[in-house]
Structures are given as C-alpha cells and as structure tokens.
Amino acid sequence: PLKVLGYIPGENGRLTYSADVYKYLDALDAASPRVKCWSIGKTEEGRDTRACAVADEQTIANLDKYKKITADLTDPRKTPDVAARQLIATGKPIYWATGSIHSGETGSVEMLMELGYRLAIDDSPAIQSIRNNVIFVFTPTTEVDGHDREVDNRRAQEAGQVPPSMVYWGK
C-alpha cells in the first residue's frame, strides 16, 4: 500500500478517496494471483463501485465456477438434494464484507484495503487456511459518493478551510 498510496491505510489523519482505493486494489489485483477485483456498478453520480475477492490461486483462477455453485444452491426448488450435496462438497463458502455504508464510516474503507492486502500476501498457517477454504469478497465502500464527500469534508477541516455545506451532499 505504501508504494501505491504513499501511506499505510488506516494511518492517523489519512482518508482515501474511492478512486485511490480502486487504484490500490487494481495494483494488488495485478500483483497477486490470489486477488481479483471487478466493478459491480456505478453510483448515482457515476463513480465506480468495486468488489474484490481473495482466495488461493486455484480458487481465484476458477472464481466463476465457485460463483455458479453458489448460484445453483440459492434456490432449492431448482437443485435436487443429491445435486445440492455434491455442490456443497465441491463449493466454497463466500464471505462478503462491506464498508462505509454510511459516509461517516471511514475506518472500514481503510481497514478493508489493509485486510485485503494481508490476506493476499501473508503466508502464515492461519491465513493460508482462510485462503484455501473461503472466498473472501469485500466492497471497501458501498456508499461511494458520500464517502468521497466525507473525505472532502475531512481534508477541508484539516487544512483549516470551511468544509462544504450539507447542500453539497447529494443531488
């Protein structure tokens, strides 16, 4: 993170705009076969919303297969018990963490960048067990527009400027 952002996520007094969060996560994706990031849509104001998955290399290489297994298990009316048992035996649980559902919740954005990094690079037995047995998906900020406005507010305050008024918030 230090090489891409110039600081460590969660560093005191530092908040990261969503574009920079995604720049960092794209770099992590490019650097690690254990990470895959993708867009999950656009916000009302046209900002990207992203998700990233972290797992072992083989799982990430076959992520679409695991997504399909999970999708096939979502409706028991369409998947007979025998098939469901086989899918459960070959699938992996997906754990999805989201951050910043409210704009003032800035810590989760920073923490999820750091957690994604740690899960991707750490080779301790505990982290290997997580990567081998779970697909960890995270969306660092679910309220991207408000998060970026909160970063604007905090940076203005830290610079001794008057922060934008609440009229600035939203359309």
Side-chain angles (χ1 to χ4, degrees), residues 85-161:
R85 280 194 268 289
Q86 183 179 8
L87 290 170
I88 290 167
T90 59
K92 290 189 179 190
I94 297 172
Y95 180 84
W96 191 354
T98 61
S100 186
I101 192 169
H102 302 105
S103 56
E105 297 166 351
T106 57
S108 58
V109 177
E110 308 299 320
M111 180 278 300
L112 285 168
M113 282 192 292
E114 182 68 13
L115 180 58
Y117 172 72
R118 296 289 171 188
L119 289 173
I121 62 110
D122 192 330
D123 282 325
S124 68
I127 298 299
Q128 285 183 27
S129 179
I130 292 168
R131 280 197 310 261
N132 293 339
N133 295 294
V134 173
I135 301 168
F136 177 71
V137 177
F138 64 102
T139 299
T141 178
T142 53
E143 213 292 86
V144 183
D145 297 333
H147 172 76
D148 281 359
R149 289 188 180 344
E150 182 67 19
V151 175
D152 284 345
N153 269 343
R154 297 275 186 93
R155 289 190 178 182
Q157 290 170 352
E158 289 166 6
Q161 301 168 352

Side-chain angles (χ1 to χ4, degrees), residues 34-46:
R34 299 171 178 167
V35 178
K36 178 161 179 61
C37 298
W38 64 95
S39 176
I40 58 174
K42 295 285 185 186
T43 68
E44 180 181 60
E45 296 179 2

